[in-house]
Amino acid sequence: MEERYSLVDHPASFKTKGLKEYPESSRRFLDNSIPRNGTEIEALNQIVSKYAGRKVRLVMAGEGSTNSIEVVIIDWQAEKGNTRPVYQRFAKSPFPSDYIPFAYHQKDDGRESLYLCEKLDTPSPWIRVYNDESSDGWVGHYFGNSIRNCGIIPYTMPEHYKTRLATDVVKELEALAVDADGSKLIAAGFENLDHLHYALESARGNIAEGMAEAQAMLDAINEKMNAQMNQNVAAAKAGGLLDPIQGVSMEDWAAANAKIAGGTSLDEVLRILEIEKPIWDDVSAQWMARMSQDTTFAISKVYGEAFTNPNMGRFAAASNGSSAGSSAAVEKVKGDFELYIKIMCHQNIGSTQGIDASSILKQYGLSVVDWSAASAHWSPQMASNLELAMKMSDLMNRYNAEFAAAAPATAASDIDF
């Protein structure tokens, strides 16, 4: 005997928990006219009376979540003679005495299922599924809630939108929603504005779900790559690849290069490192050679971290070559992704006009080293956060066009061919 709960006690019961268990985006579209305090058969009859032959979304509760699926509501009395294989199999099975089919679903691969309402009214009945995997002793899995505790959303996404990119669908539906022209809505396959808003929420939900799945995969890949890189760095240290060269560590050499890029004189760098220029030249050549021969990129990783955070080791007490105002500018860019992309695009378009990147950076109060620090902050996030990556594409299109339009004409632009 399977374990059962009363409707009041079952953890998934909407009768107890109410509609708060439905996602906020779906709640507004639910048909609240379906009775929840009557019998199973009363709820079944009303659903069939209203929606027989129509495709709707059936929303079912789980413990802490909801499941939903598009189904066609059927009137079993009218449909039990249907020649569909799953109809005929169910009609000949021993289950009709205990269950009434109320919905039909077909998967993309052609497999068919019937959703069943259990005739038993108390204790809590189950919704069951009958499909190709069902046998004479089993009626598929159960969902833990009765038909009285399910929700019916009387709308589905029009078929011609289902094979298109969700991002394109969202843009088109947003434009339709703003226009709110009744004839255009009907031409697009919608019953009314509410139907359109449901489709829009569904498309946005598909994007969010797809992004979440892709983000989870990307997180797993990045975690694996980071673990491998940390192993590479550990192996490089153990193998002596990161041993100092003539007393200059990789971190000191990287920090020194960052200081020079930021405007600190070579003489000042040599003074801090306490070496002469010939030694500096030799140290630089050897570190470059090691880096170029390191196929694991462990040295490059250590170099990049030190270059973007040069106030370490022997340079900890030295100025980084940036003013206090420049430091504030860096923090501003680190806190504003759109500003970061704007500056990046400004430099990109400027380079096509022969404008030096450093002069553009100065307009934002930044030095080359400041920009490296800002890039070190945002680059890993763009590589690991799909939402930022998508936002980046739109922002780049916008700012590239803006700076290209504002760029001064070149001499060649006056030549008419």
Side-chain angles (χ1 to χ4, degrees):
M1 180 69 177
E2 64 189 352
E3 182 181 7
R4 289 181 178 273
Y5 300 85
S6 72
L7 276 176
V8 172
D9 295 331
H10 193 277
S13 175
F14 289 163
K15 196 177 184 70
T16 300
K17 296 189 175 183
L19 295 182
K20 65 183 181 181
E21 291 301 305
Y22 287 110
E24 184 66 36
S25 60
S26 298
R27 194 183 310 168
R28 60 178 287 201
F29 303 110
L30 290 171
D31 180 351
N32 291 314
S33 70
I34 306 300
R36 293 180 178 274
N37 297 318
T39 66
E40 291 294 290
I41 301 304
E42 287 172 343
L44 171 67
N45 287 339
Q46 183 156 339
I47 290 171
V48 170
S49 175
K50 291 185 71 171
Y51 297 114
R54 282 189 56 181
K55 183 179 285 187
V56 301
R57 182 160 286 275
L58 177 68
V59 185
M60 298 161 288
E63 296 190 31
S65 64
T66 56
N67 300 307
S68 68
I69 190 168
E70 286 189 2
V71 297
V72 175
I73 299 298
I74 60 173
D75 180 346
W76 181 240
Q77 291 305 311
E79 293 289 337
K80 59 186 177 183
N82 192 300
T83 57
R84 287 184 182 276
V86 71
Y87 285 65
Q88 291 299 303
R89 284 185 59 243
F90 180 81
K92 295 174 183 178
S93 75
F95 303 122
S97 60
D98 298 315
Y99 303 98
I100 302 175
F102 70 92
Y104 169 82
H105 173 73
Q106 185 175 36
K107 293 184 176 181
D108 292 339
D109 60 7
R111 288 187 294 172
E112 301 174 309
S113 297
L114 289 175
Y115 282 72
L116 313 177
C117 170
E118 192 173 8
K119 294 178 183 179
L120 182 65
D121 196 46
T122 57
S124 179
W126 306 118
I127 283 180
R128 302 267 183 170
V129 174
Y130 184 86
N131 51 34
D132 292 342
E133 298 175 357
S134 300
S135 68
D136 287 347
W138 183 52
V139 197
H141 58 289
Y142 59 86
F143 292 97
N145 49 292
S146 72
I147 198 167
R148 287 175 290 182
N149 288 333
C150 284
I152 299 290
I153 296 177
Y155 307 122
T156 59
M157 179 72 76
E159 291 295 327
H160 60 278
Y161 286 111
K162 291 183 177 180
T163 56
R164 296 177 52 191
L165 286 174
T167 49
D168 292 341
V169 170
V170 166
K171 290 178 181 177
E172 183 173 320
L173 297 188
E174 285 176 341
L176 273 173
V178 171
D179 195 357
D181 184 304
S183 60
K184 290 182 180 178
L185 293 180
I186 293 173
F190 299 104
E191 297 177 23
N192 49 45
L193 196 55
D194 239 17
H195 188 181
L196 170 64
H197 283 301
Y198 166 75
L200 185 53
E201 290 293 334
S202 296
R204 287 170 176 162
N206 287 340
I207 292 174
E209 184 178 344
M211 287 283 289
E213 291 177 0
Q215 185 65 57
M217 292 178 61
L218 183 59
D219 289 345
I221 292 171
N222 284 333
E223 184 177 353
K224 186 175 181 180
M225 290 178 61
N226 288 335
Q228 182 61 57
M229 185 56 71
N230 289 335
Q231 290 180 15
N232 292 345
V233 172
K237 288 179 178 178
L241 283 176
L242 290 170
D243 288 350
I245 297 173
Q246 297 197 52
V248 179
S249 68
M250 162 56 71
E251 290 83 357
D252 282 343
W253 181 62
N257 281 312
K259 296 297 182 181
I260 292 170
T264 303
S265 68
L266 177 59
D267 288 341
E268 178 62 15
V269 166
L270 296 179
R271 183 190 68 77
I272 294 170
L273 292 177
E274 299 180 333
I275 59 175
E276 301 295 330
K277 189 174 183 303
I279 294 178
W280 165 259
D281 292 340
D282 184 50
V283 166
S284 295
Q286 289 194 52
W287 273 125
M288 286 294 294
R290 282 192 195 180
M291 192 181 296
S292 65
Q293 295 165 13
D294 176 22
T295 57
T296 68
F297 302 103
I299 298 177
S300 297
K301 181 178 187 294
V302 176
Y303 178 89
E305 291 173 350
F307 187 90
T308 54
N309 299 282
N311 294 326
M312 60 174 61
R314 301 191 200 186
F315 294 92
S319 167
N320 65 2
S322 300
S323 66
S326 180
S327 252
V330 173
E331 293 307 312
K332 183 177 180 181
V333 177
K334 286 183 178 180
D336 189 340
F337 181 67
E338 183 171 340
L339 177 59
Y340 173 71
I341 298 300
K342 178 181 180 179
I343 298 172
M344 178 194 297
C345 293
H346 197 169
Q347 293 178 85
N348 291 341
I349 298 301
S351 68
T352 66
Q353 301 293 323
I355 302 173
D356 181 60
S358 61
S359 66
I360 292 175
L361 290 173
K362 286 180 182 178
Q363 297 178 38
Y364 299 92
L366 299 168
S367 68
V368 173
V369 173
D370 294 333
W371 181 247
S372 295
S375 295
H377 172 79
W378 285 116
S379 293
Q381 294 189 55
M382 289 189 294
S384 61
N385 187 319
L386 289 178
E387 186 176 353
L388 277 185
M390 291 184 68
K391 187 177 181 181
M392 174 186 174
S393 178
D394 289 339
L395 289 173
M396 287 191 72
N397 289 336
R398 170 184 161 191
Y399 283 115
N400 279 338
E402 180 180 311
F403 288 119
T410 62
S413 66
D414 294 331
I415 302 175
D416 186 358
F417 290 98

